Amino acid sequence: MKIYVAKNSGFCRGVKRAVELALSSAGENVYLLGDIIHNPIVSQKIARKGIVTVDSVSAVPNGATLIIRSHGEGEDIYREAEKRNIRIVDTTCSFVKRTQQIVKEHYDNGFAIVIVGHKTHPEVI
């Protein structure tokens, strides 16, 4: 049997960048808010590097480093991190970041915003 691998198989550039940034940020006192991507093999590799995955920014000690996953986070996470002197390594996908900016601009200009998606996913929040 012959197996063909598609030219564009693997992670998109945003996910690839996020994983590379996270792995290069490994060290003591480094935390990741949720899984970097939905991939258990990558999550295990990150854990082996000593990066601790947490469910909320409140679980991150003051002055630590916090990796923001590729799906992004809401502004409240960045504000809390700043207040607590937590260094941010932002791996948010550029497409997610741009969408967040467009939505914010329209909201600030008085538009009603409707977002369709899973209400607990960070990119929707």
Side-chain angles (χ1 to χ4, degrees):
M1 174 185 350
K2 192 166 186 173
I3 298 173
Y4 295 90
V5 177
K7 178 183 170 190
N8 296 317
S9 67
F11 298 138
C12 70
R13 68 183 170 137
V15 166
K16 185 176 178 183
R17 176 186 162 275
V19 172
E20 288 171 354
L21 271 172
L23 291 172
S24 69
S25 299
E28 280 193 46
N29 217 15
V30 178
Y31 296 81
L32 171 62
L33 190 54
D35 292 326
I36 192 84
I37 60 172
H38 303 296
N39 182 308
I41 294 169
V42 172
S43 295
Q44 291 168 2
K45 185 175 184 177
I46 285 172
R48 283 194 303 272
K49 286 283 196 172
I51 299 170
V52 179
T53 301
V54 295
D55 292 327
S56 75
V57 71
S58 63
V60 179
N62 293 350
T65 296
L66 176 63
I67 301 169
I68 301 293
R69 58 187 156 196
S70 58
H71 295 109
E73 289 294 341
E75 290 179 359
D76 56 327
I77 299 297
Y78 294 88
R79 283 193 297 270
E80 184 174 345
E82 185 177 358
K83 278 192 259 180
R84 298 182 41 223
N85 197 31
I86 295 172
R87 179 179 159 260
I88 294 283
V89 175
D90 194 347
T91 73
T92 305
C93 169
S94 60
F95 292 115
V96 172
K97 201 58 122 171
R98 179 69 183 132
T99 301
Q100 289 172 332
Q101 290 169 349
I102 291 168
V103 168
K104 184 174 181 345
E105 287 171 19
H106 282 77
Y107 180 79
D108 290 347
N109 287 316
F111 285 82
I113 306 296
V114 176
I115 299 173
V116 178
H118 196 286
K119 66 181 178 180
T120 61
H121 282 201
E123 63 271 31
V124 173
I125 296 169

PDB file of all heavy atoms in Angstrom, residues 50-79:
ATOM      1  N   GLY A  50       8.177  20.983  31.762  1.00  0.00           N
ATOM      2  CA  GLY A  50       8.021  21.630  33.058  1.00  0.00           C
ATOM      3  C   GLY A  50       6.998  22.741  33.086  1.00  0.00           C
ATOM      4  O   GLY A  50       6.833  23.417  34.107  1.00  0.00           O
ATOM      5  N   ILE A  51       6.289  22.947  31.996  1.00  0.00           N
ATOM      6  CA  ILE A  51       5.247  23.980  31.945  1.00  0.00           C
ATOM      7  C   ILE A  51       3.991  23.408  32.589  1.00  0.00           C
ATOM      8  O   ILE A  51       3.534  22.324  32.237  1.00  0.00           O
ATOM      9  CB  ILE A  51       4.972  24.410  30.488  1.00  0.00           C
ATOM     10  CG1 ILE A  51       6.245  25.008  29.872  1.00  0.00           C
ATOM     11  CG2 ILE A  51       3.817  25.397  30.423  1.00  0.00           C
ATOM     12  CD1 ILE A  51       6.163  25.240  28.376  1.00  0.00           C
ATOM     13  N   VAL A  52       3.450  24.143  33.550  1.00  0.00           N
ATOM     14  CA  VAL A  52       2.287  23.690  34.303  1.00  0.00           C
ATOM     15  C   VAL A  52       1.014  24.253  33.677  1.00  0.00           C
ATOM     16  O   VAL A  52       0.886  25.468  33.514  1.00  0.00           O
ATOM     17  CB  VAL A  52       2.384  24.146  35.778  1.00  0.00           C
ATOM     18  CG1 VAL A  52       1.163  23.704  36.566  1.00  0.00           C
ATOM     19  CG2 VAL A  52       3.668  23.629  36.408  1.00  0.00           C
ATOM     20  N   THR A  53       0.088  23.374  33.321  1.00  0.00           N
ATOM     21  CA  THR A  53      -1.191  23.811  32.754  1.00  0.00           C
ATOM     22  C   THR A  53      -2.169  24.071  33.891  1.00  0.00           C
ATOM     23  O   THR A  53      -2.333  23.242  34.786  1.00  0.00           O
ATOM     24  CB  THR A  53      -1.750  22.747  31.791  1.00  0.00           C
ATOM     25  OG1 THR A  53      -0.798  22.540  30.741  1.00  0.00           O
ATOM     26  CG2 THR A  53      -3.066  23.194  31.177  1.00  0.00           C
ATOM     27  N   VAL A  54      -2.801  25.249  33.858  1.00  0.00           N
ATOM     28  CA  VAL A  54      -3.773  25.647  34.882  1.00  0.00           C
ATOM     29  C   VAL A  54      -5.090  26.024  34.206  1.00  0.00           C
ATOM     30  O   VAL A  54      -5.136  26.310  33.011  1.00  0.00           O
ATOM     31  CB  VAL A  54      -3.255  26.829  35.733  1.00  0.00           C
ATOM     32  CG1 VAL A  54      -2.033  26.417  36.538  1.00  0.00           C
ATOM     33  CG2 VAL A  54      -2.946  28.040  34.875  1.00  0.00           C
ATOM     34  N   ASP A  55      -6.162  26.020  35.000  1.00  0.00           N
ATOM     35  CA  ASP A  55      -7.486  26.347  34.470  1.00  0.00           C
ATOM     36  C   ASP A  55      -7.873  27.808  34.643  1.00  0.00           C
ATOM     37  O   ASP A  55      -8.843  28.262  34.050  1.00  0.00           O
ATOM     38  CB  ASP A  55      -8.551  25.468  35.134  1.00  0.00           C
ATOM     39  CG  ASP A  55      -8.411  24.007  34.723  1.00  0.00           C
ATOM     40  OD1 ASP A  55      -8.009  23.739  33.572  1.00  0.00           O
ATOM     41  OD2 ASP A  55      -8.696  23.139  35.566  1.00  0.00           O
ATOM     42  N   SER A  56      -7.140  28.524  35.486  1.00  0.00           N
ATOM     43  CA  SER A  56      -7.471  29.939  35.677  1.00  0.00           C
ATOM     44  C   SER A  56      -6.211  30.720  36.041  1.00  0.00           C
ATOM     45  O   SER A  56      -5.256  30.158  36.584  1.00  0.00           O
ATOM     46  CB  SER A  56      -8.530  30.116  36.778  1.00  0.00           C
ATOM     47  OG  SER A  56      -7.948  29.938  38.042  1.00  0.00           O
ATOM     48  N   VAL A  57      -6.243  32.009  35.755  1.00  0.00           N
ATOM     49  CA  VAL A  57      -5.089  32.863  36.052  1.00  0.00           C
ATOM     50  C   VAL A  57      -4.883  32.975  37.562  1.00  0.00           C
ATOM     51  O   VAL A  57      -3.767  33.214  38.019  1.00  0.00           O
ATOM     52  CB  VAL A  57      -5.235  34.238  35.361  1.00  0.00           C
ATOM     53  CG1 VAL A  57      -6.304  35.077  36.009  1.00  0.00           C
ATOM     54  CG2 VAL A  57      -3.920  34.985  35.334  1.00  0.00           C
ATOM     55  N   SER A  58      -5.924  32.738  38.344  1.00  0.00           N
ATOM     56  CA  SER A  58      -5.778  32.799  39.807  1.00  0.00           C
ATOM     57  C   SER A  58      -4.853  31.693  40.328  1.00  0.00           C
ATOM     58  O   SER A  58      -4.313  31.809  41.422  1.00  0.00           O
ATOM     59  CB  SER A  58      -7.145  32.719  40.486  1.00  0.00           C
ATOM     60  OG  SER A  58      -7.773  31.485  40.203  1.00  0.00           O
ATOM     61  N   ALA A  59      -4.623  30.645  39.537  1.00  0.00           N
ATOM     62  CA  ALA A  59      -3.729  29.558  39.938  1.00  0.00           C
ATOM     63  C   ALA A  59      -2.265  29.871  39.637  1.00  0.00           C
ATOM     64  O   ALA A  59      -1.384  29.081  39.971  1.00  0.00           O
ATOM     65  CB  ALA A  59      -4.139  28.265  39.232  1.00  0.00           C
ATOM     66  N   VAL A  60      -2.004  31.011  39.021  1.00  0.00           N
ATOM     67  CA  VAL A  60      -0.646  31.406  38.649  1.00  0.00           C
ATOM     68  C   VAL A  60      -0.080  32.327  39.732  1.00  0.00           C
ATOM     69  O   VAL A  60      -0.704  33.331  40.075  1.00  0.00           O
ATOM     70  CB  VAL A  60      -0.635  32.127  37.278  1.00  0.00           C
ATOM     71  CG1 VAL A  60       0.766  32.565  36.897  1.00  0.00           C
ATOM     72  CG2 VAL A  60      -1.242  31.229  36.204  1.00  0.00           C
ATOM     73  N   PRO A  61       1.090  32.012  40.257  1.00  0.00           N
ATOM     74  CA  PRO A  61       1.677  32.871  41.297  1.00  0.00           C
ATOM     75  C   PRO A  61       2.066  34.247  40.755  1.00  0.00           C
ATOM     76  O   PRO A  61       2.421  34.384  39.576  1.00  0.00           O
ATOM     77  CB  PRO A  61       2.939  32.117  41.730  1.00  0.00           C
ATOM     78  CG  PRO A  61       2.798  30.731  41.207  1.00  0.00           C
ATOM     79  CD  PRO A  61       1.903  30.817  40.007  1.00  0.00           C
ATOM     80  N   ASN A  62       2.011  35.240  41.613  1.00  0.00           N
ATOM     81  CA  ASN A  62       2.462  36.584  41.240  1.00  0.00           C
ATOM     82  C   ASN A  62       3.904  36.498  40.732  1.00  0.00           C
ATOM     83  O   ASN A  62       4.724  35.775  41.293  1.00  0.00           O
ATOM     84  CB  ASN A  62       2.406  37.535  42.433  1.00  0.00           C
ATOM     85  CG  ASN A  62       0.993  37.804  42.885  1.00  0.00           C
ATOM     86  OD1 ASN A  62       0.025  37.440  42.229  1.00  0.00           O
ATOM     87  ND2 ASN A  62       0.864  38.444  44.028  1.00  0.00           N
ATOM     88  N   GLY A  63       4.197  37.249  39.675  1.00  0.00           N
ATOM     89  CA  GLY A  63       5.540  37.307  39.140  1.00  0.00           C
ATOM     90  C   GLY A  63       5.938  36.151  38.236  1.00  0.00           C
ATOM     91  O   GLY A  63       7.046  36.134  37.724  1.00  0.00           O
ATOM     92  N   ALA A  64       5.048  35.187  38.041  1.00  0.00           N
ATOM     93  CA  ALA A  64       5.354  34.034  37.185  1.00  0.00           C
ATOM     94  C   ALA A  64       5.215  34.418  35.707  1.00  0.00           C
ATOM     95  O   ALA A  64       4.924  35.570  35.371  1.00  0.00           O
ATOM     96  CB  ALA A  64       4.406  32.880  37.515  1.00  0.00           C
ATOM     97  N   THR A  65       5.419  33.451  34.836  1.00  0.00           N
ATOM     98  CA  THR A  65       5.199  33.624  33.409  1.00  0.00           C
ATOM     99  C   THR A  65       3.959  32.837  33.024  1.00  0.00           C
ATOM    100  O   THR A  65       3.805  31.682  33.433  1.00  0.00           O
ATOM    101  CB  THR A  65       6.409  33.114  32.597  1.00  0.00           C
ATOM    102  OG1 THR A  65       7.544  33.920  32.932  1.00  0.00           O
ATOM    103  CG2 THR A  65       6.164  33.197  31.105  1.00  0.00           C
ATOM    104  N   LEU A  66       3.090  33.457  32.253  1.00  0.00           N
ATOM    105  CA  LEU A  66       1.848  32.818  31.816  1.00  0.00           C
ATOM    106  C   LEU A  66       1.797  32.794  30.295  1.00  0.00           C
ATOM    107  O   LEU A  66       1.902  33.837  29.641  1.00  0.00           O
ATOM    108  CB  LEU A  66       0.628  33.573  32.354  1.00  0.00           C
ATOM    109  CG  LEU A  66      -0.739  33.054  31.893  1.00  0.00           C
ATOM    110  CD1 LEU A  66      -0.958  31.619  32.383  1.00  0.00           C
ATOM    111  CD2 LEU A  66      -1.844  33.967  32.392  1.00  0.00           C
ATOM    112  N   ILE A  67       1.635  31.605  29.745  1.00  0.00           N
ATOM    113  CA  ILE A  67       1.491  31.442  28.306  1.00  0.00           C
ATOM    114  C   ILE A  67       0.006  31.469  27.964  1.00  0.00           C
ATOM    115  O   ILE A  67      -0.781  30.711  28.531  1.00  0.00           O
ATOM    116  CB  ILE A  67       2.117  30.119  27.833  1.00  0.00           C
ATOM    117  CG1 ILE A  67       3.603  30.075  28.197  1.00  0.00           C
ATOM    118  CG2 ILE A  67       1.903  29.931  26.330  1.00  0.00           C
ATOM    119  CD1 ILE A  67       4.251  28.711  28.006  1.00  0.00           C
ATOM    120  N   ILE A  68      -0.361  32.376  27.072  1.00  0.00           N
ATOM    121  CA  ILE A  68      -1.735  32.452  26.570  1.00  0.00           C
ATOM    122  C   ILE A  68      -1.813  31.540  25.352  1.00  0.00           C
ATOM    123  O   ILE A  68      -1.049  31.684  24.404  1.00  0.00           O
ATOM    124  CB  ILE A  68      -2.112  33.895  26.177  1.00  0.00           C
ATOM    125  CG1 ILE A  68      -1.971  34.844  27.368  1.00  0.00           C
ATOM    126  CG2 ILE A  68      -3.500  33.951  25.553  1.00  0.00           C
ATOM    127  CD1 ILE A  68      -2.930  34.615  28.498  1.00  0.00           C
ATOM    128  N   ARG A  69      -2.740  30.615  25.350  1.00  0.00           N
ATOM    129  CA  ARG A  69      -2.848  29.608  24.291  1.00  0.00           C
ATOM    130  C   ARG A  69      -3.249  30.186  22.944  1.00  0.00           C
ATOM    131  O   ARG A  69      -3.686  31.337  22.854  1.00  0.00           O
ATOM    132  CB  ARG A  69      -3.830  28.527  24.715  1.00  0.00           C
ATOM    133  CG  ARG A  69      -5.209  29.070  25.019  1.00  0.00           C
ATOM    134  CD  ARG A  69      -6.089  28.013  25.584  1.00  0.00           C
ATOM    135  NE  ARG A  69      -7.147  28.626  26.376  1.00  0.00           N
ATOM    136  CZ  ARG A  69      -7.881  27.965  27.228  1.00  0.00           C
ATOM    137  NH1 ARG A  69      -7.684  26.685  27.404  1.00  0.00           N
ATOM    138  NH2 ARG A  69      -8.819  28.566  27.899  1.00  0.00           N
ATOM    139  N   SER A  70      -3.138  29.375  21.930  1.00  0.00           N
ATOM    140  CA  SER A  70      -3.390  29.804  20.553  1.00  0.00           C
ATOM    141  C   SER A  70      -4.819  30.288  20.334  1.00  0.00           C
ATOM    142  O   SER A  70      -5.071  31.090  19.439  1.00  0.00           O
ATOM    143  CB  SER A  70      -3.066  28.677  19.572  1.00  0.00           C
ATOM    144  OG  SER A  70      -3.825  27.518  19.860  1.00  0.00           O
ATOM    145  N   HIS A  71      -5.760  29.844  21.164  1.00  0.00           N
ATOM    146  CA  HIS A  71      -7.148  30.265  21.021  1.00  0.00           C
ATOM    147  C   HIS A  71      -7.409  31.660  21.583  1.00  0.00           C
ATOM    148  O   HIS A  71      -8.484  32.214  21.407  1.00  0.00           O
ATOM    149  CB  HIS A  71      -8.077  29.270  21.722  1.00  0.00           C
ATOM    150  CG  HIS A  71      -8.056  27.923  21.098  1.00  0.00           C
ATOM    151  ND1 HIS A  71      -7.467  26.834  21.707  1.00  0.00           N
ATOM    152  CD2 HIS A  71      -8.516  27.478  19.913  1.00  0.00           C
ATOM    153  CE1 HIS A  71      -7.589  25.789  20.920  1.00  0.00           C
ATOM    154  NE2 HIS A  71      -8.211  26.150  19.824  1.00  0.00           N
ATOM    155  N   GLY A  72      -6.436  32.198  22.296  1.00  0.00           N
ATOM    156  CA  GLY A  72      -6.580  33.538  22.850  1.00  0.00           C
ATOM    157  C   GLY A  72      -7.338  33.547  24.169  1.00  0.00           C
ATOM    158  O   GLY A  72      -7.823  32.518  24.635  1.00  0.00           O
ATOM    159  N   GLU A  73      -7.423  34.722  24.756  1.00  0.00           N
ATOM    160  CA  GLU A  73      -8.143  34.942  26.015  1.00  0.00           C
ATOM    161  C   GLU A  73      -8.770  36.319  25.982  1.00  0.00           C
ATOM    162  O   GLU A  73      -8.394  37.161  25.170  1.00  0.00           O
ATOM    163  CB  GLU A  73      -7.192  34.832  27.216  1.00  0.00           C
ATOM    164  CG  GLU A  73      -6.704  33.441  27.510  1.00  0.00           C
ATOM    165  CD  GLU A  73      -7.783  32.472  27.973  1.00  0.00           C
ATOM    166  OE1 GLU A  73      -8.857  32.925  28.422  1.00  0.00           O
ATOM    167  OE2 GLU A  73      -7.551  31.263  27.896  1.00  0.00           O
ATOM    168  N   GLY A  74      -9.683  36.549  26.899  1.00  0.00           N
ATOM    169  CA  GLY A  74     -10.333  37.846  27.003  1.00  0.00           C
ATOM    170  C   GLY A  74      -9.441  38.875  27.689  1.00  0.00           C
ATOM    171  O   GLY A  74      -8.445  38.532  28.335  1.00  0.00           O
ATOM    172  N   GLU A  75      -9.805  40.137  27.548  1.00  0.00           N
ATOM    173  CA  GLU A  75      -9.012  41.239  28.111  1.00  0.00           C
ATOM    174  C   GLU A  75      -8.844  41.146  29.619  1.00  0.00           C
ATOM    175  O   GLU A  75      -7.840  41.598  30.160  1.00  0.00           O
ATOM    176  CB  GLU A  75      -9.659  42.580  27.752  1.00  0.00           C
ATOM    177  CG  GLU A  75      -9.553  42.927  26.288  1.00  0.00           C
ATOM    178  CD  GLU A  75     -10.220  44.262  25.960  1.00  0.00           C
ATOM    179  OE1 GLU A  75     -10.793  44.910  26.875  1.00  0.00           O
ATOM    180  OE2 GLU A  75     -10.161  44.653  24.795  1.00  0.00           O
ATOM    181  N   ASP A  76      -9.819  40.552  30.311  1.00  0.00           N
ATOM    182  CA  ASP A  76      -9.741  40.449  31.768  1.00  0.00           C
ATOM    183  C   ASP A  76      -8.526  39.633  32.221  1.00  0.00           C
ATOM    184  O   ASP A  76      -7.923  39.937  33.257  1.00  0.00           O
ATOM    185  CB  ASP A  76     -11.032  39.860  32.344  1.00  0.00           C
ATOM    186  CG  ASP A  76     -11.397  38.507  31.753  1.00  0.00           C
ATOM    187  OD1 ASP A  76     -11.110  38.278  30.550  1.00  0.00           O
ATOM    188  OD2 ASP A  76     -11.972  37.672  32.476  1.00  0.00           O
ATOM    189  N   ILE A  77      -8.132  38.648  31.452  1.00  0.00           N
ATOM    190  CA  ILE A  77      -6.965  37.831  31.794  1.00  0.00           C
ATOM    191  C   ILE A  77      -5.695  38.687  31.741  1.00  0.00           C
ATOM    192  O   ILE A  77      -4.853  38.631  32.636  1.00  0.00           O
ATOM    193  CB  ILE A  77      -6.833  36.630  30.835  1.00  0.00           C
ATOM    194  CG1 ILE A  77      -8.067  35.711  30.921  1.00  0.00           C
ATOM    195  CG2 ILE A  77      -5.533  35.865  31.079  1.00  0.00           C
ATOM    196  CD1 ILE A  77      -8.292  35.068  32.267  1.00  0.00           C
ATOM    197  N   TYR A  78      -5.574  39.497  30.694  1.00  0.00           N
ATOM    198  CA  TYR A  78      -4.396  40.366  30.543  1.00  0.00           C
ATOM    199  C   TYR A  78      -4.343  41.408  31.660  1.00  0.00           C
ATOM    200  O   TYR A  78      -3.271  41.684  32.198  1.00  0.00           O
ATOM    201  CB  TYR A  78      -4.416  41.058  29.178  1.00  0.00           C
ATOM    202  CG  TYR A  78      -4.268  40.101  28.022  1.00  0.00           C
ATOM    203  CD1 TYR A  78      -5.372  39.484  27.463  1.00  0.00           C
ATOM    204  CD2 TYR A  78      -3.017  39.814  27.497  1.00  0.00           C
ATOM    205  CE1 TYR A  78      -5.239  38.598  26.395  1.00  0.00           C
ATOM    206  CE2 TYR A  78      -2.872  38.938  26.434  1.00  0.00           C
ATOM    207  CZ  TYR A  78      -3.990  38.327  25.889  1.00  0.00           C
ATOM    208  OH  TYR A  78      -3.852  37.457  24.847  1.00  0.00           O
ATOM    209  N   ARG A  79      -5.505  41.958  32.025  1.00  0.00           N
ATOM    210  CA  ARG A  79      -5.547  42.961  33.108  1.00  0.00           C
ATOM    211  C   ARG A  79      -5.124  42.351  34.435  1.00  0.00           C
ATOM    212  O   ARG A  79      -4.346  42.936  35.182  1.00  0.00           O
ATOM    213  CB  ARG A  79      -6.940  43.581  33.203  1.00  0.00           C
ATOM    214  CG  ARG A  79      -7.233  44.620  32.137  1.00  0.00           C
ATOM    215  CD  ARG A  79      -8.480  45.425  32.449  1.00  0.00           C
ATOM    216  NE  ARG A  79      -9.680  44.613  32.473  1.00  0.00           N
ATOM    217  CZ  ARG A  79     -10.464  44.366  31.420  1.00  0.00           C
ATOM    218  NH1 ARG A  79     -10.157  44.881  30.249  1.00  0.00           N
ATOM    219  NH2 ARG A  79     -11.532  43.616  31.540  1.00  0.00           N
TER     220      ARG A  79
END
